[in-house]
Amino acid sequence: MAKVKMSKKATSIDMTAMCDVAFLLLTFFILTATAKAPEPLPVDTPSSTVQTKLPETDLATLTVGKSDGKEQVFFGVKGRDVRIKTLELMAQKYNLTFTEDELKQFSLVDEFGVPIEAMKQLLAMKGADRAKKGVQPGIPCDSINNQLKDWIYTARQANIEVADKELQFAIKGDAKEEYPQIKKVMDILQDQKINSFNLVTGLRGKDY
């Protein structure tokens, strides 16, 4: 008996639906992604194998580094409402006045390093200009003019008023930074009875 030969047909898969899904996902990620703002004081953190993640809220970061051979300290705090309240408290302490627009601009600043007297000029700049080298000289933290101490104190007050929680602190120092400058920042924290804080490091592989 003769075998029946089945005609062979070319198989094809309609990829239209898959392409639509891919483009929809791509569009979603592009629209929801936020560009990382350039750091005004970039530092090369020391390496570590510890993978402890910093808190997403109720956190202030002190960045210690050098620019043009000068020691600098920058300060930043999480939460837009906390930032606004912090600046309001600093304005009261230093007899300054900030407009609603300036307060709003400050709420968008992740980290800064200028004396409080130069804050208005900083907020009047565009974000890209603020991050240019040499624009921000650092927050004064010497024995004569220790504004960093006041920023730490007012940020703690602001976080309690806004979030009803104690503010946590992290120190982000350059791997080549000399210890005395880091110790100066630690001493300012300890003077306010802050004895527990995080040290920001970069992840490296384990040594075997």
Side-chain angles (χ1 to χ4, degrees):
M1 183 175 179
K3 293 182 179 179
V4 178
K5 290 185 178 180
M6 300 293 294
S7 59
K8 294 182 179 180
K9 295 182 180 180
T11 58
S12 62
I13 300 174
D14 188 359
M15 298 292 290
T16 305
M18 189 175 289
C19 290
D20 289 343
V21 171
F23 278 112
L24 282 172
L25 288 172
L26 181 61
T27 304
F28 171 78
F29 287 122
I30 290 174
L31 293 177
T32 57
T34 54
K36 184 181 179 182
E39 295 181 346
L41 183 62
V43 295
D44 183 17
T45 54
S47 299
S48 172
T49 57
V50 179
Q51 299 187 45
T52 304
K53 192 175 181 181
L54 290 174
E56 295 291 335
T57 59
D58 309 312
L59 178 72
T61 304
L62 298 102
T63 303
V64 186
K66 274 186 180 180
S67 181
D68 296 328
K70 295 180 180 179
E71 303 284 354
Q72 294 183 339
V73 180
F74 280 58
F75 184 73
V77 62
K78 297 278 189 182
R80 293 185 179 184
D81 292 338
V82 178
R83 291 171 187 164
I84 291 174
K85 189 63 182 178
T86 301
L87 185 57
E88 288 176 342
L89 292 172
M90 283 292 288
Q92 292 174 16
K93 185 172 182 63
Y94 285 85
N95 297 316
L96 298 172
T97 303
F98 292 95
T99 65
E100 289 295 326
D101 186 59
E102 287 171 338
L103 290 170
K104 183 179 178 181
Q105 285 296 319
F106 184 75
S107 73
L108 304 176
V109 177
D110 292 328
E111 199 174 35
F112 62 91
V114 294
I116 186 65
E117 297 83 3
M119 185 60 73
K120 280 182 173 287
Q121 293 88 328
L122 183 71
L123 297 177
M125 297 180 182
K126 294 181 179 179
D129 293 333
R130 293 176 197 152
K132 288 182 179 178
K133 189 176 181 180
V135 171
Q136 302 189 53
I139 299 174
C141 57
D142 53 48
S143 57
I144 299 173
N145 183 17
N146 196 340
Q147 293 186 15
L148 181 62
K149 175 191 69 175
D150 295 330
W151 278 110
I152 292 170
Y153 182 77
T154 54
R156 295 177 71 192
Q157 279 186 301
N159 205 73
I160 290 173
E161 290 188 30
V162 173
D164 195 24
K165 292 181 181 178
E166 282 288 343
L167 191 64
Q168 299 182 61
F169 289 86
I171 298 175
K172 183 179 179 182
D174 196 287
K176 298 178 182 178
E177 187 62 41
E178 296 179 1
Y179 178 70
Q181 185 65 16
I182 300 291
K183 186 178 184 301
K184 182 191 290 186
V185 174
M186 290 181 177
D187 288 343
I188 293 172
L189 291 173
Q190 290 176 335
D191 285 343
Q192 298 189 35
K193 309 301 181 185
I194 304 169
N195 298 309
S196 177
F197 43 81
N198 298 283
L199 294 175
V200 181
T201 58
L203 186 65
R204 66 173 172 81
K206 292 183 179 180
D207 297 326
Y208 293 96

